[in-house]
Amino acid sequence: AGRTVRVSGLPADLPPDRVADKLTIHFLRSRNGGGEIAEVRVLPAGSGPCALVTFEALEVAQRVLRARSHVLSVEGKEYPLEVTAHAAELSPDEVAR
Protein backbone atom coordinates (compact mmCIF):
# COMPACT_ATOMS: atom_id res chain seq x y z
CA ALA A 1 0.00 0.00 0.00
CA GLY A 2 1.09 3.57 -0.57
CA ARG A 3 2.85 2.78 -3.84
CA THR A 4 -0.07 3.92 -6.00
CA VAL A 5 -0.83 7.48 -7.08
CA ARG A 6 -3.93 8.78 -8.81
CA VAL A 7 -3.33 10.96 -11.85
CA SER A 8 -5.98 13.25 -13.31
CA GLY A 9 -5.94 15.97 -15.96
CA LEU A 10 -5.27 13.46 -18.73
CA PRO A 11 -6.01 14.13 -22.40
CA ALA A 12 -9.56 12.92 -23.03
CA ASP A 13 -9.08 12.55 -26.79
CA LEU A 14 -6.40 9.84 -26.66
CA PRO A 15 -7.03 6.09 -26.48
CA PRO A 16 -6.38 4.64 -23.00
CA ASP A 17 -3.42 2.51 -24.14
CA ARG A 18 -1.72 5.59 -25.60
CA VAL A 19 -2.33 7.52 -22.36
CA ALA A 20 -0.86 4.60 -20.39
CA ASP A 21 2.26 4.65 -22.61
CA LYS A 22 2.71 8.40 -22.14
CA LEU A 23 2.27 8.12 -18.36
CA THR A 24 4.76 5.25 -18.20
CA ILE A 25 7.39 7.32 -20.02
CA HIS A 26 6.69 10.38 -17.84
CA PHE A 27 6.86 8.55 -14.52
CA LEU A 28 9.92 6.45 -15.42
CA ARG A 29 11.98 9.64 -15.74
CA SER A 30 13.99 10.49 -12.66
CA ARG A 31 13.62 14.24 -13.33
CA ASN A 32 9.88 13.77 -12.68
CA GLY A 33 10.65 11.98 -9.42
CA GLY A 34 9.78 8.70 -11.09
CA GLY A 35 11.24 5.23 -11.14
CA GLU A 36 10.31 1.62 -11.83
CA ILE A 37 6.59 1.15 -12.46
CA ALA A 38 4.61 -1.97 -11.56
CA GLU A 39 1.37 -1.02 -13.31
CA VAL A 40 -0.43 1.83 -15.09
CA ARG A 41 -4.20 1.51 -15.19
CA VAL A 42 -6.27 4.08 -17.08
CA LEU A 43 -9.75 4.17 -15.56
CA PRO A 44 -12.92 4.55 -17.62
CA ALA A 45 -13.76 8.22 -17.98
CA GLY A 46 -16.45 9.04 -15.46
CA SER A 47 -15.61 12.50 -14.17
CA GLY A 48 -12.81 12.97 -16.69
CA PRO A 49 -10.10 10.46 -17.47
CA CYS A 50 -7.76 9.43 -14.69
CA ALA A 51 -5.20 6.72 -14.09
CA LEU A 52 -3.67 4.76 -11.25
CA VAL A 53 0.10 4.43 -11.41
CA THR A 54 1.65 1.84 -9.09
CA PHE A 55 5.39 2.04 -8.51
CA GLU A 56 7.72 -0.80 -7.51
CA ALA A 57 8.95 1.17 -4.50
CA LEU A 58 7.14 3.28 -1.92
CA GLU A 59 9.92 5.93 -2.02
CA VAL A 60 9.26 6.53 -5.72
CA ALA A 61 5.55 7.17 -5.15
CA GLN A 62 6.45 9.60 -2.35
CA ARG A 63 8.94 11.45 -4.58
CA VAL A 64 6.34 11.73 -7.33
CA LEU A 65 3.82 13.18 -4.86
CA ARG A 66 6.41 15.72 -3.63
CA ALA A 67 7.30 16.91 -7.14
CA ARG A 68 6.06 20.45 -7.72
CA SER A 69 4.32 19.89 -11.03
CA HIS A 70 3.79 17.20 -13.62
CA VAL A 71 3.08 18.18 -17.21
CA LEU A 72 2.35 15.56 -19.84
CA SER A 73 3.41 16.58 -23.36
CA VAL A 74 1.48 14.91 -26.15
CA GLU A 75 1.87 15.96 -29.78
CA GLY A 76 2.88 19.50 -28.89
CA LYS A 77 0.09 20.00 -26.34
CA GLU A 78 0.78 20.21 -22.63
CA TYR A 79 -1.52 18.76 -20.00
CA PRO A 80 -0.94 19.78 -16.37
CA LEU A 81 -1.50 16.67 -14.30
CA GLU A 82 -2.87 16.46 -10.80
CA VAL A 83 -1.13 13.72 -8.85
CA THR A 84 -2.62 12.65 -5.51
CA ALA A 85 -2.16 9.78 -3.11
CA HIS A 86 -4.50 6.93 -3.94
CA ALA A 87 -6.49 5.33 -1.15
CA ALA A 88 -5.96 1.57 -1.31
CA GLU A 89 -9.69 0.84 -1.18
CA LEU A 90 -12.17 2.70 -3.33
CA SER A 91 -15.34 3.65 -1.56
CA PRO A 92 -18.54 2.53 -3.33
CA ASP A 93 -19.46 6.08 -4.35
CA GLU A 94 -16.02 6.57 -5.97
CA VAL A 95 -16.51 3.44 -8.06
CA ALA A 96 -19.93 4.68 -9.20
CA ARG A 97 -18.54 7.95 -10.60
Side-chain angles (χ1 to χ4, degrees):
R3 297 180 304 131
T4 302
V5 298
R6 184 183 184 98
V7 183
S8 53
L10 302 172
D13 52 346
L14 285 183
D17 58 334
R18 187 89 198 283
V19 172
D21 290 346
K22 292 289 183 184
L23 288 173
T24 300
I25 293 165
H26 178 84
F27 287 113
L28 276 171
R29 291 190 177 131
S30 56
R31 69 177 173 160
N32 296 325
E36 290 300 311
I37 294 170
E39 180 188 27
V40 175
R41 209 168 71 210
V42 177
L43 303 177
S47 54
C50 72
L52 300 178
V53 180
T54 304
F55 295 96
E56 294 285 348
L58 176 62
E59 309 81 71
V60 177
Q62 291 171 337
R63 271 201 319 264
V64 164
L65 288 168
R66 281 196 304 267
R68 287 270 176 261
S69 70
H70 292 281
V71 177
L72 196 64
S73 295
V74 181
E75 296 165 2
K77 287 189 199 160
E78 297 202 331
Y79 299 88
L81 302 178
E82 184 185 341
V83 180
T84 55
H86 175 64
E89 297 297 316
L90 286 177
S91 66
D93 38 298
E94 265 194 293
V95 175
R97 269 195 258 163

